[in-house]
């Protein structure tokens, strides 16, 4: 009986083993699939996080660029010292971005960002920033790399950009968004009746004129008065871009902008009331005729600018 019992026990053990093998295999497969699903879920979450972080940091780049232009132009108009070239601004932005990415790198992700270029765009009220951007997980399993060229507006009210040309050319003093030229502008102008610009006060925050068709300035006195009162800037092939203004140049190969400078004295003919004419070198200044907007508001324009603004 023991032999029979032993043989039966042996057979039973074999049967149990045969039953358990598929169960164990199924369990291993299930665990393996679960592990894969967990890994895939983690990678999906990390990938989504990378996309979100990329979007957030790219927004930071835009804000840092605006803030940098605000700070640099403010420093220039208060110190009356120009920059050598726009690489100065590019380095300033790069430094700010390097500081900002530290807080991101303290997480499970690493960020690298290099500013390749900063230059004028076809729209003078926007600058183009070119950068290379990379976000990776610390284990390097997931990576998001971009080479981007984006436009950044210079007329955001939260980050006002100041026009440095009036202070750089004349040495006039900046005070709370305005400059009072005193005698400095009239002394700078090398034409008859330059004294019509004695004690001129000018706002130097760059604001784009809302009119697309500039000839509409002549539709009514209200329209042109609003433009003069708000000191709006306008697209101009002859005007200088923001970078050339920061470098204190009087000529510019880029598409730029211009604004009116209001005189304080009435005569029949005087230097043209356009900034790039008055603030140009002495050989390129020229005169225009009186145009009266209201009793105490008037400007001097040549025929070309009269036609451009419908006056």
């Amino acid at each position: 009986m023991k032999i029979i019992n032993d043989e039966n026990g042996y057979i039973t053990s074999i049967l149990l083993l045969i039953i358990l093998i598929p169960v164990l295999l199924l369990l291993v497969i299930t665990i393996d699939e679960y592990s894969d699903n967990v890994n895939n879920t983690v990678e999906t979450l990390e990938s989504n996080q990378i996309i979100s972080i990329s979007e957030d940091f790219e927004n930071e780049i835009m804000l840092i660029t605006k803030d940098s232009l605000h700070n640099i132009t403010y420093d220039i108009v208060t110190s009356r010292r120009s920059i050598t070239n726009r690489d100065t601004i590019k380095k300033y932005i790069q430094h700010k971005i390097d500081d900002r990415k530290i807080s991101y790198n303290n997480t499970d992700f690493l960020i690298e960002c290099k500013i390749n270029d900063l230059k004028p765009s076809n729209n003078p009220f926007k600058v183009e920033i070119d950068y290379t951007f990379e976000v990776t997980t610390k284990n390097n399993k997931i990576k998001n790399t971009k080479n981007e060229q984006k436009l950044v507006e210079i007329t955001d009210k939260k980050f006002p950009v100041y026009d440095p040309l009036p202070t750089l050319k004349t040495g006039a003093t900046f005070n709370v968004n305005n400059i009072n030229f005193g005698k400095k502008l009239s002394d700078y102008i090398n034409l008859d009746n330059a004294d019509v610009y004695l004690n001129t006060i000018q706002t130097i925050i760059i604001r784009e004129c809302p009119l697309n068709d500039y000839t509409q300035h002549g539709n009514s006195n209200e329209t042109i008065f609003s433009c003069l009162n708000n000191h709006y800037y306008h697209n101009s092939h002859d005007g200088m871009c923001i970078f050339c203004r920061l470098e204190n140049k009087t000529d510019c190969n880029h598409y730029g902008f211009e604004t009116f400078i209001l005189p304080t004295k009435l005569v029949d003919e005087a230097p043209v009331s356009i900034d790039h004419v008055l603030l140009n070198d002495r050989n390129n200044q020229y005169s225009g005729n009186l145009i009266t907007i209201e009793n105490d508001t008037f400007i001097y324009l040549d025929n070309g600018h009269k036609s451009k603004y419908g006056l």
Side-chain angles (χ1 to χ4, degrees):
M1 293 296 292
K2 286 183 180 179
I3 294 174
I4 293 172
N5 286 339
D6 288 344
E7 286 179 352
N8 287 338
Y10 178 73
I11 292 169
T12 302
S13 298
I14 291 173
L15 289 172
L16 285 172
L17 184 60
I18 292 170
I19 293 169
L20 283 173
I21 287 173
V23 173
L24 290 171
L25 286 172
L26 184 60
L27 184 60
V28 169
I29 292 169
T30 302
I31 291 171
D32 190 54
E33 286 181 351
Y34 175 76
S35 178
D36 286 341
N37 287 334
V38 168
N39 289 334
N40 289 335
T41 302
V42 169
E43 288 182 1
T44 300
L45 288 172
E46 287 181 337
S47 181
N48 289 338
Q49 282 183 287
I50 277 187
I51 292 171
S52 177
I53 288 171
S54 297
E55 291 174 351
D56 288 345
F57 198 81
E58 285 192 277
N59 287 332
E60 295 264 14
I61 294 171
M62 300 299 103
L63 293 175
I64 287 170
T65 303
K66 290 179 181 182
D67 188 52
S68 298
L69 287 168
H70 164 72
N71 291 332
I72 288 171
T73 56
Y74 182 82
D75 288 345
I76 288 174
V77 298
T78 51
S79 69
R80 287 171 284 181
R81 291 194 299 268
S82 64
I83 61 171
T84 306
N85 54 56
R86 61 179 181 264
D87 277 350
T88 303
I89 309 172
K90 189 179 81 170
K91 290 175 182 176
Y92 185 97
I93 295 170
Q94 183 69 65
H95 177 72
K96 293 291 182 183
I97 286 173
D98 290 344
D99 286 345
R100 187 68 189 93
K101 74 181 185 184
I102 291 172
S103 61
Y104 284 83
N105 289 346
N106 288 332
T107 65
D108 293 328
F109 302 90
L110 294 172
I111 290 179
E112 290 298 329
C113 181
K114 180 185 177 185
I115 305 302
N116 301 316
D117 199 7
L118 184 70
K119 60 186 179 182
S121 73
N122 293 329
N123 181 341
F125 297 100
K126 295 180 180 180
V127 299
E128 181 178 308
I129 186 166
D130 180 312
Y131 59 88
T132 303
F133 175 75
E134 183 177 274
V135 184
T136 58
T137 54
K138 287 192 174 177
N139 59 16
N140 285 321
K141 282 189 175 180
I142 305 173
K143 180 184 295 186
N144 182 25
T145 303
K146 287 184 176 182
N147 290 307
E148 292 283 352
Q149 297 84 37
K150 290 195 174 181
L151 297 179
V152 184
E153 63 179 331
I154 63 171
T155 53
D156 189 332
K157 292 179 181 179
K158 294 180 181 177
F159 304 95
V161 172
Y162 300 92
D163 180 2
L165 203 63
T167 55
L168 292 176
K169 288 297 180 190
T170 68
T173 302
F174 171 79
N175 183 27
V176 193
N177 301 336
N178 298 322
I179 56 172
N180 187 329
F181 283 107
K183 291 180 59 181
K184 291 185 180 295
L185 179 57
S186 56
D187 287 346
Y188 182 83
I189 299 168
N190 191 32
L191 293 172
D192 291 340
N193 292 329
D195 61 341
V196 302
Y197 294 101
L198 274 170
N199 298 319
T200 292
I201 297 174
Q202 181 185 2
T203 301
I204 57 171
I205 293 176
I206 297 171
R207 303 184 182 100
E208 183 179 6
C209 179
L211 295 177
N212 292 320
D213 180 1
Y214 292 160
T215 60
Q216 291 178 7
H217 285 79
N219 286 356
S220 68
N221 282 356
E222 268 185 22
T223 306
I224 181 63
F225 184 77
S226 173
C227 181
L228 296 173
N229 193 46
N230 287 290
H231 197 75
Y232 289 135
Y233 284 72
H234 309 83
N235 294 340
S236 171
H237 290 287
D238 299 321
M240 282 155 286
C241 73
I242 183 62
F243 295 114
C244 289
R245 288 169 184 264
L246 289 167
E247 295 168 29
N248 196 19
K249 291 183 177 179
T250 54
D251 57 353
C252 176
N253 296 323
H254 315 113
Y255 193 34
F257 45 72
E258 66 185 19
T259 190
F260 297 101
I261 295 180
L262 290 178
T264 56
K265 185 178 176 182
L266 250 144
V267 294
D268 290 332
E269 184 179 294
V272 167
S273 307
I274 300 291
D275 67 336
H276 66 79
V277 177
L278 298 178
L279 300 173
N280 211 315
D281 62 64
R282 315 302 172 84
N283 295 324
N284 289 325
Q285 297 170 346
Y286 49 89
S287 292
N289 297 319
L290 173 68
I291 295 178
T292 302
I293 311 302
E294 290 185 356
N295 291 335
D296 296 327
T297 304
F298 47 88
I299 52 178
Y300 300 94
L301 293 182
D302 62 302
N303 289 335
H305 285 99
K306 283 181 191 176
S307 176
K308 175 176 179 176
Y309 294 104
L311 297 169

